[in-house]
Amino acid sequence: MGKADVNPVQTRVAVLISGRGSNLKALIAGQQSGGSYQIALVVSNRSQARGLTIASEAGVPTRVIDHTLFDGREPFERVIDQALNEANVELVCLGGFMRVLTPWFVKRWQDRLLNIHPSLLPAFRGLDTHARALNAGVRVHGCTVHFVRPELDNGPIVVQGVVPVIEGDTEQSLAARVLETEHRAYPEALELITSGRARLIDGRIVVEEGWAGGTIWNELAG
Ligand code: GRF
């Protein structure tokens, strides 16, 4: 399939999705410019997820594992885990995967499982982050790429993307500004981790000295 298959140092990454897949698209685009990772598999719990088309068009293998066919979360996750192992996946990225993972799965992929959350964690964990940011009157908002821990939207922070909140913003306009930043933050974070320029030390991410990674500023933020 080209360059990716002949470079033995690339980390094999799976992306778990449920829908649109715009972050998946950004990660696929990022693998060409970065070079330290290869998207080796996309798993969706929904057969209608638009991200599946994005993956297929890019030549990335896909699997649909429908959570409604399983009796509980762990049996569902065991099948995902098996698919990941069959594809020799070394690191997993959650990209709008709308199932809460059990501690079993999270521990199994401890320090090899990344998520992107649409807020500057630890602010606004959970859902409806943009509406809550507007209600709180924060002047900056953004996204966070972090390692996953059993507690929801928690874990060592790899990269944050910062955007200004502008007078007159609606939930939609703010979401769009944050999403643009997500598409830069996620490939940056994955590249930092898989290249070894960012390391997890004592529960915190340390970025290699002299490397300006870790923060993505939206141009409007100055
Ligand atoms: C993103 O906003 C991400 O932060 C959140 O889910 C959304 C996924 O969007 N976790 P997409 O499917 O990548 O377009």
Side-chain angles (χ1 to χ4, degrees):
M1 221 181 52
K3 181 175 159 245
D5 279 349
V6 295
N7 186 341
V9 298
Q10 284 181 320
T11 303
R12 290 176 67 80
V13 173
V15 185
L16 269 50
I17 63 166
S18 297
R20 181 175 58 180
S22 68
N23 278 291
L24 164 68
K25 192 174 179 180
L27 289 173
I28 291 173
Q31 79 182 4
Q32 269 110 34
S33 44
S36 297
Y37 69 89
Q38 177 198 1
I39 306 297
L41 180 67
V42 169
V43 177
S44 174
N45 66 309
R46 289 185 50 241
S47 61
Q48 300 305 314
R50 261 202 284 154
L52 287 170
T53 313
I54 293 170
S56 301
E57 283 174 4
V60 178
T62 61
R63 289 277 302 268
V64 174
I65 302 173
D66 180 351
H67 64 280
T68 64
L69 303 177
F70 296 87
D71 191 13
R73 287 193 289 162
E74 205 173 301
F76 163 62
E77 291 171 358
R78 284 190 185 275
V79 175
I80 294 180
D81 185 61
Q82 196 183 340
L84 298 174
N85 291 327
E86 280 167 12
N88 296 316
V89 166
E90 299 160 281
L91 198 144
V92 177
C93 289
L94 304 176
F97 185 63
M98 298 307 284
R99 309 305 303 167
V100 174
L101 295 165
T102 64
W104 173 79
F105 187 90
V106 173
K107 288 201 179 113
R108 202 167 169 79
W109 288 88
Q110 168 98 15
D111 300 342
R112 298 182 298 153
L113 180 59
L114 289 170
N115 180 45
I116 187 155
H117 181 75
S119 80
L120 292 172
L121 290 174
F124 310 122
R125 294 188 167 112
L127 297 173
D128 300 324
T129 55
H130 308 306
R132 286 159 61 210
L134 287 173
N135 283 338
V138 293
R139 311 310 304 176
V140 290
H141 184 43
C143 68
T144 304
V145 181
H146 63 99
F147 277 107
V148 176
R149 294 291 180 260
E151 310 76 46
L152 193 68
D153 300 325
N154 233 303
I157 290 169
V158 185
V159 169
Q160 292 191 300
V162 185
V163 308
V165 179
I166 297 168
E167 212 46 56
D169 257 337
T170 61
E171 203 179 324
Q172 288 71 27
S173 65
L174 187 54
R177 193 173 311 123
V178 171
L179 192 64
E180 241 176 65
T181 301
E182 290 185 34
H183 297 161
R184 292 164 56 203
Y186 217 169
E188 164 92 0
L190 190 52
E191 186 61 32
L192 278 175
I193 294 296
T194 55
S195 66
R197 285 194 293 266
R199 290 168 202 277
L200 190 52
I201 299 171
D202 295 335
R204 288 181 65 248
I205 294 293
V206 178
V207 180
E208 195 175 275
E209 217 175 310
W211 185 260
T215 320
I216 305 279
W217 298 95
N218 180 294
E219 289 73 23
L220 289 173

